[in-house]
Amino acid sequence: MNQIYNFSAGPAMLPKEVLIKAKKEFCDWNGMGVSIMEISHRSEAFIEVVKQAEENLRELLKIPDNYKILFCHGGARGQFAALPLNLFNPNETVDYVISGYWSKSAAHEALKYCIVNKINILIEKSEHLSVQPINQWSLTNNSKYIHYCPNETIDGIAINSLPNFSNNKIVLADYSSAILSAPLDVNRFGVIYAGTQKNIGPSGITLVIIRNDLLYCEKANRKIIPSILNYNILDKNHSMYNTPSTFAWYLSGMVFKWLKKQGGLLEMKKRNQEKSKLLYDTIDNSSLYINKINPINRSSINIPFKIKKSNLDKIFIKSAEQKGLLFLKGHHSTGGLRASIYNAMPIDGVKKLINFMKDFEYQNK
Ligand SMILES: Cc1ncc(COP(=O)(O)O)c(C=O)c1O
């Protein structure tokens, strides 16, 4: 059978090994004669799944003890509202760094709840797109918090160095597409959040890694916060204030185990760098494809590119599909093409894509 590789930005490819294990135990989990989807989230057996998932995530990301992990509903977009509701006062100015579609969307949502200082860090010059280095971001002095998105899933822009502000700013980061792709110094952040549907598991859970002092800051008790978004309530209820997405939790836990078996996040970083280098080299050495992002601001996970000759996108996508290379269409807001190569994408998938791209270029000279 033609080997299929899935380049979707999310919900995205999951490790084959994990899928096979889930399939094996689909109807009879843990010898119970029922599937994991059919048991109570409060049962001992499921609580053990939750415990292990949290332990393994803590180990992978080296999450310090003064941080809590919440497994939330509502996706990353839910967090666009939850963060301001839990942390900011309505008359407070908060710095929102804009580096692409998702950071812009987060800032837009926050406008409902606080005064947003938008800091546009994109520099666009003819065929080149780059972002200002962190030390040039024009932050407001009176803003306690700064929000940014280290990896713009749609635009393929990454802020590859970690913020280190001298004036004790509390950094809030949307890690939806970059979480677990490389080691991360959690200590640098007040809150890290990420939807599971890209580099972790299926859709249905949003991880929130939050420093304890923020979790229990006085604003967290404000009556206006819907209970389901209230970090304080979620924590007190062990992320089970309402019925959680148990299947997503179980599968995410399996992916954490898989990551540990693969060698952890340093190994993931190495593999992701290797895969993305192969793909960017192919694009840069071709006369048909283009990615106009400055190499130091390129994502090693979501790689958008365009075909210089017009009207070839559809043919490219269709021919790729016939070869088993799926979901290479760019986001509707940008057009063009995009290859998302999360942890689960093996290097062979990237090599197959590269060979296809080279053949396609040869045929369309
Ligand atoms: C960086 C980033 N932030 C936010 C979102 C929105 O996530 P959700 O659909 O889970 O709300 C996405 C989804 O693609 C994303 O990539």
Side-chain angles (χ1 to χ4, degrees), residues 91-202:
N91 54 357
E92 188 170 348
T93 302
V94 180
D95 285 332
Y96 270 80
V97 175
I98 311 293
S99 55
Y101 184 96
W102 288 113
S103 49
K104 202 170 163 185
S105 304
H108 187 72
E109 184 71 11
L111 273 174
K112 296 177 189 167
Y113 309 104
C114 63
I115 302 163
V116 172
N117 174 41
K118 284 189 199 164
I119 304 167
N120 185 1
I121 59 165
L122 291 171
I123 308 167
E124 213 163 352
K125 281 193 195 135
S126 59
E127 282 302 285
H128 292 280
L129 184 63
S130 57
V131 300
Q132 283 173 353
I134 292 176
N135 60 7
Q136 287 174 23
W137 293 358
S138 50
L139 309 179
T140 37
N141 285 334
N142 64 347
S143 170
K144 186 168 153 195
Y145 297 98
I146 173 168
H147 178 278
Y148 84 113
C149 179
N151 189 75
E152 288 282 2
T153 323
I154 293 173
D155 312 78
I157 292 170
I159 296 161
N160 285 316
S161 41
L162 286 188
N164 197 6
F165 303 113
S166 51
N167 48 356
N168 290 329
K169 288 231 185 248
I170 299 172
V171 183
L172 316 169
D174 175 0
Y175 258 93
S176 289
S177 44
I179 190 98
L180 301 176
S181 62
L184 183 61
D185 182 0
V186 174
N187 279 302
R188 302 274 193 98
F189 299 87
V191 180
I192 292 167
Y193 64 96
T196 45
Q197 71 272 22
K198 295 166 193 302
N199 216 11
I200 301 181

Side-chain angles (χ1 to χ4, degrees), residues 24 59 64 72 141 144 171 178 192 200 203 250 252 261 299 310 325 342 349:
K24 210 169 140 204
E59 191 182 323
C72 303
N141 285 334
K144 186 168 153 195
V171 183
I192 292 167
I200 301 181
S203 55
Y250 148 80
S252 299
K261 204 168 135 195
S299 165
S310 58
L325 302 163
Y342 297 109

